[in-house]
Amino acid sequence: TVFRERFEREAQLIAKIEHPAIVPVYDFGDQDDEPYLVMRYMPGGALTAKIKHGDLSVSYASQIMSQIAPGLDAVHAQGIVHRDLKPANILFDGFGNPAISDFGIAHFSQATTDLTGTAIIGTPSYMSPEQVRSDADLDGRSDIYALGVILFEMLTGSGPFRAATPLSVAMKHLTDPIPSIQLFRPELPVEIDRILKKAMAKDRE
């Protein structure tokens, strides 16, 4: 089928990416008509758990960013966009090093959507305005937007926007200005606000 061909082609592409900040794909195949990926086991858990334990320090948040951002650069250079970057997809190995997972899954989802009709790929709390609009020409800047949201969440314990429904949260990403992070943690350096406003600009240009 077309999906199977796409899956194999995309799996080969993902498996070729070698970067310390990308959870590697070791194998892929088909079992009882179900496609599968074999990825590295990451025993350190997800960034989600670290955020739940309390606001992270600026130095630790910076360390995580400095490790995973080059991984994003590496995949963006190959024309791959994650589309669903969030703390649950940032996993830690046994030594505390972070890596991004589920690149393949997000990419395959988009491949099937192209064939069957339009659908939104992503999680509303981390979606860029262009994702909310379902723009067809998404690029790596959508992942940069999500990275900004993740930085905000690491430093404050919650995302920049709250609402009663996922759709309402998505609409806030589309229309509402980014709140100053100093409102949540006044002691944080003002430079962080400038970084967030650039990463999460409504206009990706």
Side-chain angles (χ1 to χ4, degrees):
T1 65
V2 176
F3 170 76
R4 200 72 55 177
E5 291 173 4
R6 281 253 180 133
F7 180 87
E8 290 188 11
R9 189 165 67 245
E10 303 293 359
Q12 288 171 349
L13 184 62
I14 301 289
K16 285 178 183 174
I17 296 172
E18 292 187 21
H19 193 281
I22 303 297
V23 178
V25 171
Y26 293 138
D27 195 12
F28 61 90
D30 193 289
Q31 179 73 38
D32 299 326
D33 282 334
E34 289 291 331
Y36 66 83
L37 296 174
V38 180
M39 309 179 85
R40 175 184 290 166
Y41 174 55
M42 302 290 281
L47 179 58
T48 316
K50 295 183 185 296
I51 291 172
K52 282 181 180 174
H53 288 151
D55 302 339
L56 305 183
S57 69
V58 172
S59 61
Y60 186 52
S62 298
Q63 177 187 326
I64 291 172
M65 286 287 164
S66 66
Q67 288 178 276
I68 63 173
L72 274 181
D73 282 344
V75 293
H76 291 163
Q78 305 243 8
I80 300 172
V81 184
H82 192 293
R83 296 182 175 88
D84 196 20
L85 196 61
K86 55 189 176 184
N89 284 335
I90 297 174
L91 307 179
F92 293 83
D93 64 17
F95 301 98
N97 297 305
I100 303 166
S101 70
D102 288 351
F103 259 100
I105 292 169
H107 209 51
F108 303 143
S109 299
Q110 186 64 39
T112 36
T113 321
D114 291 343
L115 300 169
T116 57
T118 56
I120 293 176
I121 305 297
T123 302
S125 294
Y126 305 92
M127 286 170 61
S128 65
E130 56 266 28
Q131 280 179 284
V132 177
R133 291 192 303 265
S134 297
D135 289 359
D137 62 338
L138 292 184
D139 59 28
R141 288 173 289 186
S142 284
D143 289 340
I144 301 292
Y145 185 96
L147 208 57
V149 179
I150 292 168
L151 176 60
F152 194 105
E153 190 172 348
M154 282 196 289
L155 295 174
T156 67
S158 67
F161 303 121
R162 298 181 187 182
T165 66
L167 179 60
S168 298
V169 172
M171 291 308 296
K172 283 178 177 288
H173 280 289
L174 189 60
T175 60
D176 286 17
I178 306 148
S180 169
I181 202 165
Q182 268 80 29
L183 295 174
F184 298 81
R185 287 181 67 182
E187 79 279 7
L188 291 177
V190 69
E191 287 81 9
I192 293 176
D193 249 345
R194 289 200 285 268
I195 291 167
L196 289 169
K197 281 181 169 58
K198 183 169 184 179
M200 297 173 61
K202 303 297 180 193
D203 179 2
R204 64 182 181 178
E205 296 297 337

